[in-house]
């Protein structure tokens, strides 16, 4: 039996120049869809929390991993690079003003998302030229992949590092070059240092790998396809070991790779040894803590499938077809591995009560890769009948359908909770309140020295938007204050009137019948301004 790991699909399906131009076009399209109007959507609650950690890291040089929440440290350190560079060339003020912007922090996750498309293209040898282009194209125009990569959260980095493990491991298998095994260990360490859900993704990858090997071995035996002159499994294994340098060499570089893995993970979790050994101990502690939090954001087992059907239905169907083909034909080990990885991961996360839309990015990428394999098989079959051009029809229809969905989700209804990926998102009207506060601050000549008292218990992501204001207090309850501006919630309206009504006027937003400023579903804010302040 031809093994896909040893006998990859033939090359030359399309001219090299055409393939490179197509790959470049997909990368450019993916980058454009992620970068255009990147600051349009107001920060989500979680983005505001992450932004707060980044501000502290950039301005005070402090970050310590918290096992209770907030995931791993890689997002903050990679995101700090831009403001640090701006500070190096322009000084501290420039770094704070021009480095810490909504566009810049989201630029980091966008870069990793586009890099994920690039990784998909590197699988050209394994799933075919058409397969790699199709997979990359599907990731590029995926409504969810775009929407979630425009979030300042960990998922884009996490998914990139996960796929990076697969790509670099395959490169090592193909070439035997030590550098690829080291890169695989670094990618693994960065995945672990990005999010505690590595405890699910890592085992699923291993299970998919082992299951793929076992399945191909069983098929080989059951179908009795092995000819007398075909090497045995043991012989092939010995040949692979010899090709990679022999047992001693493999063991040596494996130990080196493991040491690199430990070093990189410790570097990040210990905040580059400024929080050692506590940060490392907390990294292990978090696994136990998060296991007790699976009741949060609880949804039924089928929730991820439901979300995918609504926004990624094309991927789900194409991947299901590709998985069946991979199982039936059993002539491409990577195709079967990708199918097991995508649907295995979907099953694993579905069994956990804790479910949030951004986790679907973990499924979208391997589903797209499996879908790419489906396209490749279809292309080869149509080419046998000199009808390969017919593949353009479904490709155009899919692109048009996904294009409509991605436009509606990312640029029109981006804060509408009726859409599956929009999850307790900050309403665009919140930005109107911030503009009003900025206008009052400028009119009074106090600028960022304007005092603001936030007494609402719900206020994220406001700390990010007030990052330059020097006199902002977050009290989460009614407190005595004489600041020019007070922000409360509509649930506190009676208390706000009785406590501040003799000195403050409430500004009517004109956005709803209550004159409030919607923050997110179920949370409406009220804006009070002291009477002696110019409005």
């Amino acid at each position: 039996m031809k093994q896909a790991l040893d006998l990859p699909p033939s090359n030359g399906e399309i001219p090299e120049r055409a393939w490179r131009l197509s790959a470049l076009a997909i990368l450019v399209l993916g980058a454009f869809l992620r970068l255009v109007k990147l600051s349009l959507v107001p920060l989500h609650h979680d983005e505001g929390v992450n932004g707060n950690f980044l501000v502290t890291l950039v301005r005070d040089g402090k970050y310590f991993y918290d096992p209770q929440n907030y995931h791993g440290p890689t997002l903050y350190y990679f995101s700090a690079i831009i403001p640090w560079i701006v500070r190096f060339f322009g000084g501290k003020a420039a770094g704070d003003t021009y480095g810490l912007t909504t566009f810049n922090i989201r630029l980091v996750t966008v870069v990793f998302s586009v890099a994920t498309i690039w990784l998909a293209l590197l699988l050209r040898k394994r799933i075919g030229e058409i397969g790699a282009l199709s997979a990359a194209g599907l990731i590029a125009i995926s409504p969810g992949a775009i929407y979630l990569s425009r979030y300042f959260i960990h998922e884009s980095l996490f998914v990139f590092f996960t796929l990076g493990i697969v790509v670099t491991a395959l490169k090592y298998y193909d070439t035997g070059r030590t550098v690829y095994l080291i890169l695989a260990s670094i990618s693994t360490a960065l995945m672990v240092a990005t999010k505690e859900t590595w405890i699910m993704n890592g085992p699923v990858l291993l299970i998919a790998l082992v299951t793929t090997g076992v399945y191909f071995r069983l098929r080989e035996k059951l179908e009795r396809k092995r000819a007398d002159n075909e090497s045995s499994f043991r012989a092939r294994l010995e040949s692979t070991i010899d090709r990679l340098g022999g047992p001693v060499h493999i063991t040596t570089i494996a130990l080196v790779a493991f040491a690199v893995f430990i070093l990189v993970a410790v570097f990040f979790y210990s905040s580059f040894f400024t929080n050692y050994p506590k940060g490392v101990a907390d990294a292990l502690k978090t696994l136990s803590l998060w296991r007790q939090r699976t009741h949060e954001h609880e949804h039924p087992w089928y929730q991820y499938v439901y979300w995918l059907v609504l926004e990624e239905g094309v991927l789900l169907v194409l991947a299901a077809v590709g998985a069946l083909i991979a199982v039936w034909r059993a002539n491409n080990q990577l195709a079967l591995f990708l199918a097991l990885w995508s649907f295995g991961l979907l099953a694993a996360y579905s069994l956990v009560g804790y479910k949030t839309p951004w986790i679907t990015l973990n499924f979208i990428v391997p589903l797209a890769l499996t879908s790419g394999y489906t396209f490749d098989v279809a292309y080869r079959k149509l080419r046998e009948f000199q009808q390969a051009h017919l593949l353009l029809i479904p490709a155009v229809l899919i692109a048009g359908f996904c294009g409509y969905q991605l436009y509606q989700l990312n640029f029109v209804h981006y804060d509408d909770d009726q859409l599956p990926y929009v999850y307790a998102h900050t309403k665009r009207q919140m930005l109107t309140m911030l503009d009003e506060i900025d206008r009052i601050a400028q009119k009074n000549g106090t600028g960022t020295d304007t005092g603001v008292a936030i007494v609402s218990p719900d206020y994220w992501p406001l700390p990010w938007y007030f990052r330059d204001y020097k006199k902002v207090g977050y009290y989460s309850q009614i407190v005595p204050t004489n600041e020019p501006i007070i922000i409360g919630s509509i649930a506190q309206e009676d208390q706000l009137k009785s406590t501040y009504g003799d000195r403050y006027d409430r500004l009517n937003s004109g956005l709803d019948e209550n004159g409030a400023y919607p923050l997110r579903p179920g949370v409406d804010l009220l804006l009070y301004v002291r009477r002696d302040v110019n409005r």
Side-chain angles (χ1 to χ4, degrees):
M1 174 185 289
K2 290 185 177 181
Q3 300 293 327
L5 289 176
D6 299 315
L7 296 173
S10 60
N11 293 321
E13 296 167 349
I14 57 178
E16 181 67 18
R17 180 180 176 82
W19 193 91
R20 290 180 179 272
L21 289 175
S22 299
L24 179 61
I26 290 171
L27 286 170
V28 171
L29 175 63
F32 173 78
L33 292 174
R34 286 156 175 77
L35 287 171
V36 64
K37 296 185 178 180
L38 187 54
S39 303
L40 171 69
V41 184
L43 264 67
H44 184 273
H45 172 286
D46 291 0
E47 289 185 277
V49 174
N50 292 335
N52 203 46
F53 278 104
L54 179 62
V55 169
T56 303
L57 174 60
V58 171
R59 293 182 176 175
D60 303 331
K62 295 179 181 178
Y63 167 80
F64 297 116
Y65 173 69
D66 183 351
Q68 296 287 343
N69 209 334
Y70 314 126
H71 308 310
T74 59
L75 176 67
Y76 312 116
Y77 282 107
F78 282 112
S79 301
I81 292 174
I82 295 177
W84 279 339
I85 291 175
V86 175
R87 173 184 287 189
F88 179 80
F89 288 103
K92 185 178 186 302
D96 290 347
T97 303
Y98 303 109
L100 288 169
T101 66
T102 298
F103 182 91
N104 283 345
I105 62 174
R106 286 175 169 170
L107 177 61
V108 174
T109 55
V110 165
V111 167
F112 277 95
S113 180
V114 175
T116 300
I117 301 173
W118 169 69
L119 287 180
L121 291 168
L122 294 182
L123 294 175
R124 170 189 184 184
K125 181 180 178 182
R126 301 292 178 180
I127 57 176
E129 294 176 341
I130 298 299
L133 289 173
S134 300
L138 288 168
I139 297 172
I141 64 174
S142 161
I146 296 170
Y147 188 76
L148 298 173
S149 69
R150 291 160 64 92
Y151 263 32
F152 182 56
I153 56 175
H154 297 70
E155 225 64 39
S156 288
L157 281 70
F158 186 71
V159 171
F160 170 81
F161 295 134
T162 305
L163 181 56
I165 297 171
V166 176
V167 173
T168 51
L170 284 171
K171 286 287 188 181
Y172 171 68
Y173 179 87
D174 285 343
T175 66
R177 295 177 60 185
T178 302
V179 63
Y180 288 118
L181 188 61
I182 300 300
L183 287 174
S185 71
I186 292 173
S187 195
T188 304
L190 291 173
M191 179 188 74
V192 170
T194 298
K195 201 175 178 189
E196 69 288 332
T197 47
W198 68 265
I199 198 64
M200 296 182 67
N201 289 51
V204 168
L205 284 175
L206 290 174
I207 291 171
L209 178 64
V210 172
T211 304
T212 299
V214 171
Y215 180 77
F216 269 72
R217 181 72 174 140
L218 290 175
R219 282 289 297 263
E220 190 176 67
K221 287 185 175 181
L222 292 174
E223 296 179 7
R224 299 179 180 178
K225 287 186 176 180
R226 183 181 305 170
D228 292 338
N229 62 347
E230 187 176 358
S231 59
S232 67
F233 171 76
R234 178 175 294 180
R236 292 199 303 273
L237 178 62
E238 291 175 352
S239 174
T240 300
I241 292 174
D242 290 339
R243 180 172 60 82
L244 296 177
V248 175
H249 178 73
I250 293 174
T251 302
T252 301
I253 62 171
L255 290 174
V256 172
F258 181 71
V260 170
F261 164 80
I262 296 296
L263 186 62
V264 173
V266 169
F267 266 164
F268 279 92
Y269 274 115
S270 67
S271 299
F272 295 87
F273 292 112
T274 61
N275 188 33
Y276 181 85
K278 186 178 184 302
V280 178
D282 284 344
L284 299 175
K285 181 181 178 182
T286 191
L287 299 177
S288 175
L289 293 174
W290 274 91
R291 185 175 58 183
Q292 301 169 16
R293 300 186 59 186
T294 56
H295 64 281
E296 299 178 14
H297 301 282
E298 194 161 359
H299 293 278
W301 67 267
Y302 56 82
Q303 191 66 51
Y304 284 127
V305 176
Y306 177 70
W307 282 333
L308 288 170
V309 167
L310 291 180
E311 291 289 348
E312 313 290 348
V314 171
L315 279 186
L316 205 56
V317 171
L318 287 174
V321 172
L324 291 174
I325 294 173
V327 171
W328 179 259
R329 297 179 67 177
N331 66 349
N332 189 316
Q333 289 190 26
L334 181 63
L336 180 59
F337 168 81
L338 293 173
L340 292 170
W341 173 23
S342 54
F343 287 101
L345 203 59
L346 176 58
Y349 276 100
S350 295
L351 293 174
V352 179
Y354 184 102
K355 294 179 177 69
T356 55
W358 40 88
I359 288 178
T360 57
L361 189 59
N362 291 270
F363 321 136
I364 290 173
V365 170
L367 285 172
L369 295 171
T370 307
S371 298
Y373 171 71
T374 305
F375 265 102
D376 192 75
V377 172
Y379 173 80
R380 291 170 184 272
K381 183 59 66 175
L382 288 171
R383 194 174 60 171
E384 292 178 8
F385 300 97
Q386 288 79 48
Q387 299 295 325
H389 63 279
L390 292 179
L391 197 62
L392 288 173
I393 298 175
V396 170
L397 291 175
I398 289 171
F401 181 70
C402 290
Y404 173 78
Q405 282 192 306
L406 73 85
Y407 175 72
Q408 292 295 319
L409 174 63
N410 289 279
F411 304 107
V412 181
H413 301 292
Y414 50 81
D415 58 351
D416 183 353
D417 266 29
Q418 298 301 310
L419 277 69
Y421 291 120
V422 184
Y423 190 74
H425 197 88
T426 306
K427 297 295 184 180
R428 66 188 77 187
Q429 293 89 340
M430 185 272 294
L431 298 178
T432 304
M433 182 187 72
L434 295 172
D435 289 340
E436 185 70 17
I437 293 172
D438 286 341
R439 185 189 63 78
I440 293 172
Q442 293 303 318
K443 188 172 183 179
N444 284 269
T446 51
T448 57
D449 287 321
T450 303
V452 181
I454 300 177
V455 299
S456 169
D458 296 298
Y459 52 79
W460 292 100
L462 293 182
W464 169 256
Y465 291 101
F466 284 123
R467 63 191 179 278
D468 294 327
Y469 277 68
K470 305 176 182 65
K471 299 178 181 179
V472 180
Y474 301 92
Y475 303 104
S476 299
Q477 61 182 343
I478 303 295
V479 295
T481 182
N482 195 43
E483 297 293 1
I485 295 173
I486 297 175
I487 299 174
S489 73
I490 199 167
Q492 301 169 305
E493 186 171 13
D494 291 339
Q495 288 179 287
L496 290 165
K497 286 180 180 178
S498 61
T499 306
Y500 311 118
D502 59 331
R503 295 174 292 129
Y504 289 78
D505 291 325
R506 198 186 96 181
L507 292 191
N508 192 310
S509 68
L511 299 172
D512 62 17
E513 59 183 12
N514 296 314
Y517 295 89
L519 179 65
R520 58 177 174 271
V523 181
D524 295 307
L525 300 180
L526 300 177
L527 182 62
Y528 283 78
V529 180
R530 208 173 60 211
R531 287 178 183 156
D532 63 324
V533 173
N534 293 322
R535 282 167 274 173

